[in-house]
Amino acid sequence: MNIWNGQHRRIYMQEVGTRDGFQAEGTFVETRDKIALIDALSETGMAKIEVTAFVSPQAIPALRDAEIVLREIERKPGVVYTALVPNMRGAERAIEARADELNLVMSATESHNLSNLRMTREQSFNGLRQVAASARDVGLPVNISLSCAFGCPMEGDVPTDTVIEWTQRFVEEIGARGVTLCDTTGMAFPQQVAALTARCIERWPQTEFTLHFHNTRGMGLANVLAAIDAGADRFDASLGGIGGCPYAPGASGNVCSEEIVHALELMGYDTGVDLGALIDASKRLPALIGHDTPSQIVKAGRRLDLHPLPADFAAIREPAPLRSSNCSPSAKRFAARC
Amino acid sequence: MNIWNGQHRRIYMQEVGTRDGFQAEGTFVETRDKIALIDALSETGMAKIEVTAFVSPQAIPALRDAEIVLREIERKPGVVYTALVPNMRGAERAIEARADELNLVMSATESHNLSNLRMTREQSFNGLRQVAASARDVGLPVNISLSCAFGCPMEGDVPTDTVIEWTQRFVEEIGARGVTLCDTTGMAFPQQVAALTARCIERWPQTEFTLHFHNTRGMGLANVLAAIDAGADRFDASLGGIGGCPYAPGASGNVCSEEIVHALELMGYDTGVDLGALIDASKRLPALIGHDTPSQIVKAGRRLDLHPLPADFAAIREPAPLRSSNCSPSAKRFAARC
């Protein structure tokens, strides 16, 4: 396969901005605005939307309206509406609110699991197993997100075997339908991504693998391409690129949905996403969260969103003395941009 | 070749921040600070440094000290010190100040050439030819930067044949040692980059081709990788990622030197650059230009710059009741980051 030429290969995009993005915001986004935004996202062609998280409202007040949001959005057939649940109580709430899938989370490293979830990995795993069992009882599929699959901000490199072992437990002990390999703090790099992705997909061809990259060190799109090259076809991304990195204030978090879709579509991949509708949705964000987003596509427009010609072109086109050796008044505008 | 694995392939990095970056800044960077920064960059392993531009001081006051800077920097053997020159007067000044190379510029499209250089392309080309002749007279090599080689913000797509025709005139009529294909406003995408780069390198194997990408739409690193895959080994980049895009206020301009080096080194390419020294140089920028830079590597650190473990880990590691189904006080810190 020529990675640079998608040849209409299908890539499934999964939106995480209303969960992973909003939970990182200081501002509470009004419930009706969340619902309207998710309804707009449903129309863009996203394969899956992580609507919200059923966590303690004291811990994450930004998502304290999880029930209402998940219940009141308009469900578009074909779109999977998932919700993050950290524990049994969250699972009960998500099931009650009719989530299509439960997304569970634990970390590949002990340090990050302790830091992020305040439990050991074994404690987390046992909790996940219980939640998965109750999901199975009501016929709901489970996805498990493995944080720090490509590196841990405290422990550094994570052995590939560690990631494979946890994935095995998720797939074979818990029966997860999907596993998300998360680059929680932007430590993944393409060679590593290609190797780990290939190993997982080859070993568990029936499992729905998602790659969740952060652009913290500018490698987000390159990692997406490396994963595609290794056989992946599902990617998380965040509208506007919202959701920063707790370990690097001011740095990017999740890869930006419209940047990834814009690039993949230019390269001939078929994301099924209406980029114009996605950009329109992204443009709503600043009014909701109170600040601009990192989205480069919102700032710069699409590749072929053109600019008008300067009004004084006719004057320059007139036969004129060669300007190369003097400094005309118009040279004030000369910027010599390469 | 496996693009994700560099296998020590040599990639030459060329720094343009002190020219392309500083010229876009509102602040005048003190001459002594410019010289000190370039001297620091000389020690990083950059193959080439675009020191400054010999343009009208009225047009670009930020670079009004071009002569002093180019004369007073310490020349490191092996590093090529180049300067942008727009015309014969600039060329005379650059030659007098002992530039190693003259970098000339014109655009692939008539609209952008008129807008950026206030001349038609033919007028520009004739000027370039004169400048190149006088450079030849003193034994100086010439590089020609072709702006908008991957798209024009006013005309849109640029036919590949147009780029090939101008490149042919640069190489065969003017005798340029090098040609830089510039993605002036971030319109390049990987498939296009791979195709154009391969065509140029195959046709003129003796010419030194540089790829100059902007990260305006988030595709900078992916484009670098596509170009490498097509045979390129020289890339412009800007320290701290400084130098915005005049067509998209707030959007990124040049790809960031330390981000590209960080990624390529992780992937096994040999850039010859001391990343630590480069980051140290980048960290000087905010004091010089009066604001933070877009550098993600400065914000987030290198991939393995680790964070300390939280102090209260011991308490969590103690045998504890399974926290998965209640909300302990410590859950306040629970963020469920994926």
Side-chain angles (χ1 to χ4, degrees), chain A residues 96-114:
Chain A
E96 176 73 21
R98 297 195 301 110
D100 292 333
E101 176 194 89
L102 304 186
N103 185 25
L104 318 183
V105 57
M106 64 170 282
S107 296
T109 67
E110 197 72 3
S111 304
H112 190 265
N113 208 76
L114 286 164

Side-chain angles (χ1 to χ4, degrees), chain A residues 68-327:
Chain A
I68 313 177
V69 172
L70 188 54
R71 273 209 207 97
E72 299 201 355
I73 53 171
E74 219 165 292
R75 308 286 176 109
K76 171 114 175 170
V79 180
V80 174
Y81 297 90
T82 189
L84 187 132
V85 301
N87 52 32
M88 194 62 91
R89 175 77 194 103
E92 288 160 4
R93 292 168 59 201
I95 292 168
E96 176 73 21
R98 297 195 301 110
D100 292 333
E101 176 194 89
L102 304 186
N103 185 25
L104 318 183
V105 57
M106 64 170 282
S107 296
T109 67
E110 197 72 3
S111 304
H112 190 265
N113 208 76
L114 286 164
S115 170
N116 190 38
L117 302 173
R118 315 298 292 177
M119 288 184 275
T120 66
R121 286 177 296 179
E122 282 301 332
Q123 288 172 329
S124 278
F125 183 79
N126 287 329
L128 262 51
R129 194 206 306 265
Q130 288 176 29
V131 170
S134 61
R136 195 164 39 239
D137 289 344
V138 294
L140 270 195
V142 155
N143 183 82
I144 302 181
S145 288
L146 185 63
S147 301
C148 298
F150 300 94
C152 168
M154 290 160 283
E155 295 186 19
D157 273 320
V158 175
T160 307
D161 285 347
T162 303
V163 177
I164 295 293
E165 278 162 32
W166 285 108
T167 302
Q168 181 177 13
R169 295 182 72 180
F170 300 159
V171 174
E172 297 174 13
E173 288 186 43
I174 290 187
R177 176 178 73 177
V179 174
T180 302
L181 302 172
C182 299
D183 180 27
T184 308
T185 61
M187 295 174 71
F189 60 96
Q191 190 179 340
Q192 172 201 36
V193 167
L196 181 58
T197 304
R199 212 170 139 188
C200 286
I201 290 177
E202 277 160 26
R203 179 146 169 197
W204 296 286
Q206 303 307 319
T207 301
E208 190 182 280
F209 281 100
T210 294
L211 279 295
H212 175 111
F213 293 120
H214 283 214
N215 197 36
T216 318
R217 290 171 177 89
M219 296 185 282
L221 176 59
N223 285 331
V224 167
L225 295 173
I228 289 176
D229 204 21
D233 63 1
R234 292 194 165 265
F235 296 93
D236 281 352
S238 172
L239 192 69
I242 60 172
C245 179
Y247 291 92
S252 300
N254 295 286
V255 292
C256 170
S257 305
E258 58 267 33
E259 287 182 26
I260 299 298
V261 169
H262 178 264
L264 292 182
E265 291 284 330
L266 280 174
M267 295 173 73
Y269 292 93
D270 175 15
T271 64
V273 174
D274 175 342
L275 181 57
L278 189 65
I279 293 171
D280 287 345
S282 185
K283 285 180 176 168
R284 299 184 182 195
L285 282 173
L288 303 186
I289 59 179
H291 59 83
D292 281 347
T293 69
S295 171
Q296 304 258 76
I297 298 300
V298 165
K299 288 193 188 84
R302 284 176 283 196
R303 176 172 183 272
L304 290 179
D305 289 346
L306 302 184
H307 294 257
L309 301 170
D312 60 349
F313 263 21
I316 312 174
R317 282 175 187 277
E318 291 292 308
L322 186 62
R323 286 182 176 76
S324 64
S325 57
N326 66 350
C327 177

Side-chain angles (χ1 to χ4, degrees), chain B residues 101-102 104 125 128-133 135-136 139-144 166-179 204 206-208:
Chain B
E101 177 194 89
L102 305 186
L104 319 183
F125 183 78
L128 262 51
R129 193 206 307 266
Q130 288 176 31
V131 170
R136 196 162 38 238
L140 269 196
V142 154
N143 184 82
I144 303 182
W166 286 107
T167 303
Q168 180 178 13
R169 296 182 73 180
F170 300 158
V171 175
E172 298 174 13
E173 288 186 43
I174 290 187
R177 177 178 72 177
V179 174
W204 295 286
Q206 304 306 318
T207 301
E208 189 182 281

Side-chain angles (χ1 to χ4, degrees), chain B residues 223-241:
Chain B
N223 285 331
V224 167
L225 295 173
I228 290 176
D229 204 21
D233 62 1
R234 292 194 164 266
F235 296 93
D236 282 352
S238 172
L239 192 70

